[in-house]
Amino acid sequence: MAASWPAFGANFPSPLRLLRGEQAGHETPISSEKDLSHACLLLHRLAEPAPPETPSQVAIDLNYTKLSAADVSDLVRALEAAAANLSGLSLRLMHTHLAPDCAVELTRALCSHDRLTALLLNLAYNDIGEEASQQVADCLSHSHSLTALSLSLSHAKVGSRAAKQVAKLLAQSTSITALELSLSTNQLEAEGVQQVAKVLTQAHKLTSLSLNLSDVNLEALSAGKVAELLNTHPHLTSLALLFDANPLGAEGLRHVGVVFSVPSNLRSLSLSLSNTSIESADAIRLTESLLSNSQLSSVSLNFASNSISAEGVEEIAKLLSLASHIRCLTLDLSRLDFRNPTARKVAELLSQNTSIVSLTLRLRESRIGAKGATQVIQQLLARAPHLASLSLDLAFTSVSDQTVARLATVLARNTTLGSLSLELKSTLITTVGVIALGKALAMNTHLTSLFLDLSCK
């Protein structure tokens, strides 16, 4: 079973994507547990002599489980026992009432592992505080085996001074090349945010960086300064910036767009801008700026929950359809006010760009209706043979059995798609639609990777 993880950046190296459940792992399968006692048992089993098929990648999801000091001690002992056979770990401890000293104790245990190369550690929504957050970062910075790290300190009572120190310590690592750092929903001042970006430019080992600064009351000028600092990093080739729920507006977006229109070492850029008070003209101008940079082959744009009109959405799609240098594209149009004709036009335009081999289109909680969803599916699955990978998010829409019947038909005939992800959570699909989809999947012998969410909530 693959374990999910918040995707801070869409184009990160396989160890982090594998642990998040975004990438099939044929050579290193993942074991996943959501119960503390079972998780400890799994880790202790890793300490035993094991056959080759035993996974060395483990995902433990204890979110919303109240952890006492004794629980943490049990987990520490289990992690220490598994040290010799554990190369990848996802440890999700959000909303666990984790005490600051327990967070440090856990991190120290993890950093004693000589084989651990990929770690996802989610400490969000715990009162970690200033001192403990720095101690956690200090431990991680001294690990000589970690090459890929995802650390979430969201809503963890981390202020500007501690955030800067956390970033500075992680930047001193001599082994980490891929870093995802989430500092969202903390009280960070404008100067503090800029200092975080500044010290990360000194992380000379980094080639991939994702920085989550959502909901930190980021000012327009500060967003531009963060972008400017990180765009000059001498070794970064992949960058993801999450500015969601900050009042950037037109001015902030203009600064960001100007910065990334200038070619640099970056080949992959992800910008998450949901709920940032931007309008159609702002989003169009940003898209134009980014696409003027022909060095970018992978682009991800999240415009969800903004005041972008149907005409604005179509113009953005038109610009993207003409970008012949883009190979991988992610476009998030969730919770925007447009209907099925616009959805059809967006899918039609994007399918015309034959340079795109990997496409993610998110239309979650949109008002496109069953007809719009059917037209999107028809266009992208039946009329875009250049796509090798497709991810569609139609969750919380009016997708019905009729839509799924059309999906089943085109999916059974598709011979070019290798990877497919469908988010159909909380739609109008019944058992009839599920059975039809199952039969179509059984007939398709070309898919090598599949993710399907048909859950009700």
Side-chain angles (χ1 to χ4, degrees), residues 106-143:
L106 265 175
T107 310
R108 282 177 179 156
L110 293 171
C111 294
S112 65
H113 289 213
D114 293 331
R115 289 193 57 197
L116 193 64
T117 58
L119 172 64
L120 283 81
L121 181 60
N122 190 343
L123 302 175
Y125 289 86
N126 292 295
D127 293 342
I128 305 301
E130 303 266 314
E131 184 178 351
S133 62
Q134 294 175 64
Q135 290 176 332
V136 166
D138 187 45
C139 291
L140 293 169
S141 71
H142 285 91
S143 169

Side-chain angles (χ1 to χ4, degrees), residues 26-75:
H26 303 293
E27 297 179 359
T28 53
I30 295 178
S31 285
S32 177
E33 287 295 347
K34 293 189 175 183
D35 177 83
L36 177 61
S37 59
H38 290 169
C40 290
L41 182 60
L42 171 63
L43 290 168
H44 279 295
R45 283 177 178 168
L46 282 179
E48 302 169 359
E53 65 269 20
T54 299
S56 59
Q57 306 262 8
V58 173
I60 299 173
D61 183 351
L62 300 177
N63 288 346
Y64 301 96
T65 302
K66 189 173 182 178
L67 296 179
S68 65
D71 293 332
V72 172
S73 294
D74 289 341
L75 187 55

Side-chain angles (χ1 to χ4, degrees), residues 56-372:
S56 59
Q57 306 262 8
V58 173
I60 299 173
D61 183 351
L62 300 177
N63 288 346
Y64 301 96
T65 302
K66 189 173 182 178
L67 296 179
S68 65
D71 293 332
V72 172
S73 294
D74 289 341
L75 187 55
V76 166
R77 283 193 292 272
L79 287 168
E80 289 172 344
N85 292 316
L86 194 61
S87 63
L89 176 66
S90 169
L91 188 55
R92 303 179 69 179
L93 303 173
M94 185 172 68
H95 275 299
T96 54
H97 298 273
L98 190 68
D101 58 330
C102 290
V104 176
E105 182 185 2
L106 265 175
T107 310
R108 282 177 179 156
L110 293 171
C111 294
S112 65
H113 289 213
D114 293 331
R115 289 193 57 197
L116 193 64
T117 58
L119 172 64
L120 283 81
L121 181 60
N122 190 343
L123 302 175
Y125 289 86
N126 292 295
D127 293 342
I128 305 301
E130 303 266 314
E131 184 178 351
S133 62
Q134 294 175 64
Q135 290 176 332
V136 166
D138 187 45
C139 291
L140 293 169
S141 71
H142 285 91
S143 169
H144 298 297
S145 60
L146 276 181
T147 58
L149 171 66
S150 179
L151 175 64
S152 178
L153 291 169
S154 298
H155 206 290
K157 293 192 174 180
V158 177
S160 292
R161 185 183 63 83
K164 175 189 173 181
Q165 192 63 18
V166 165
K168 182 177 181 180
L169 287 164
L170 294 177
Q172 293 171 359
S173 170
T174 58
S175 60
I176 297 173
T177 59
L179 173 64
E180 295 181 335
L181 177 60
S182 179
L183 298 168
S184 66
T185 325
N186 283 298
Q187 296 297 316
L188 305 183
E189 300 170 358
E191 181 64 24
V193 168
Q194 293 180 39
Q195 287 299 318
V196 166
K198 186 175 181 179
V199 296
L200 286 173
T201 62
Q202 299 165 18
H204 298 303
K205 288 287 184 179
L206 281 186
T207 57
S208 298
L209 172 65
S210 178
L211 182 59
N212 189 344
L213 297 171
S214 302
D215 193 20
V216 295
N217 200 29
L218 189 66
E219 300 173 352
L221 290 175
S222 294
K225 189 62 177 177
V226 167
E228 182 181 339
L229 284 164
L230 294 176
N231 196 43
T232 60
H233 191 291
H235 304 295
L236 277 185
T237 58
S238 177
L239 175 63
L241 290 175
L242 287 78
F243 290 146
D244 308 291
N246 287 298
L248 300 187
E251 186 181 9
L253 222 58
R254 183 181 63 80
H255 281 291
V256 172
V258 168
V259 167
F260 290 121
S261 67
V262 179
S264 64
N265 290 325
L266 289 180
R267 298 297 178 267
S268 172
L269 177 64
S270 176
L271 293 177
S272 193
L273 301 161
S274 68
N275 192 25
T276 50
S277 305
I278 59 177
E279 300 184 356
S280 298
D282 309 323
I284 292 168
R285 193 179 301 112
L286 174 70
T287 306
E288 285 178 323
S289 295
L290 296 186
L291 296 183
S292 69
N293 184 348
S294 60
Q295 298 279 20
L296 294 174
S297 59
S298 178
V299 171
S300 176
L301 290 170
N302 179 1
F303 290 130
S305 301
N306 282 295
S307 301
I308 302 175
S309 66
E311 292 78 12
V313 167
E314 289 187 26
E315 184 61 27
I316 290 168
K318 183 178 179 181
L319 291 169
L320 291 168
S321 73
L322 300 173
S324 60
H325 56 284
I326 301 296
R327 302 274 293 169
C328 301
L329 174 66
T330 295
L331 181 61
D332 194 335
L333 303 172
S334 300
R335 297 178 293 281
L336 298 184
D337 191 15
F338 60 86
R339 306 300 174 96
N340 61 292
T342 300
R344 178 192 60 78
K345 188 64 176 178
V346 167
E348 180 184 316
L349 286 166
L350 294 181
S351 66
Q352 291 172 6
N353 188 337
T354 56
S355 298
I356 298 174
V357 296
S358 176
L359 173 64
T360 297
L361 179 60
R362 298 192 177 104
L363 301 171
R364 176 175 290 237
E365 295 182 57
S366 60
R367 302 165 70 183
I368 62 175
K371 183 177 180 180

